[in-house]
Amino acid sequence: MPMPLWWGQINKRVFNPLTLAQGKSPVLTHVGRASGRAFHTPLDAFPVAGGYLFILVYGSRSDWVRNILAAGSARLLVDGKEVELTAPRVVGRDEAFEALPTKSRRPVRVLRITEFLRMDLAAG
């Protein structure tokens, strides 16, 4: 069961700007599906074969997830390097757990998260 969306709004307005200012977390850059604006969302990014996996703490109805699914791509700044990601898709717990590091599974189990976003590295 994902966290409530209202908590995500608080996170977006209070904690995300603080995290972005620190400059240590991976940051996903995506385009708003209605506004066309670029948005920067700090997230945990888990490298998997051919791409990255993101835990959807607020579920697939989050604005950033809907933006990426609509656009079909995003950029990820991780470890000082920017990578282009494509082919976003929401995957279930079984597929995610095959790719997630063992130490990252416990919080996911405790929070009962069942949705994840998987994206592929762009060719080239």
Side-chain angles (χ1 to χ4, degrees), residues 44-47 55 96-111 116:
D44 289 325
F46 297 94
I55 298 171
F97 273 32
E98 287 179 21
L100 268 178
T102 305
K103 68 180 180 179
S104 302
R105 294 178 192 167
R106 182 168 165 72
V108 170
R109 279 192 189 108
V110 169
L111 294 173
F116 304 79

Side-chain angles (χ1 to χ4, degrees), residues 7-20:
W7 180 251
Q9 293 301 316
I10 293 170
N11 201 17
K12 183 185 340 184
R13 287 170 176 58
V14 177
F15 298 110
N16 283 3
L18 295 171
T19 303
L20 287 169

Side-chain angles (χ1 to χ4, degrees), residues 26-78:
V27 177
L28 200 59
T29 301
H30 50 94
V31 177
R33 60 194 178 284
S35 69
R37 271 185 44 209
F39 291 95
H40 309 285
T41 305
L43 298 163
D44 289 325
F46 297 94
V48 296
Y52 282 87
L53 183 71
F54 304 92
I55 298 171
L56 301 184
V57 176
Y58 303 106
S60 59
R61 296 179 329 184
S62 298
D63 283 335
W64 71 269
V65 177
R66 293 170 55 202
N67 287 344
I68 291 169
L69 291 171
S73 65
R75 291 186 323 272
L76 177 66
L77 178 64
V78 61

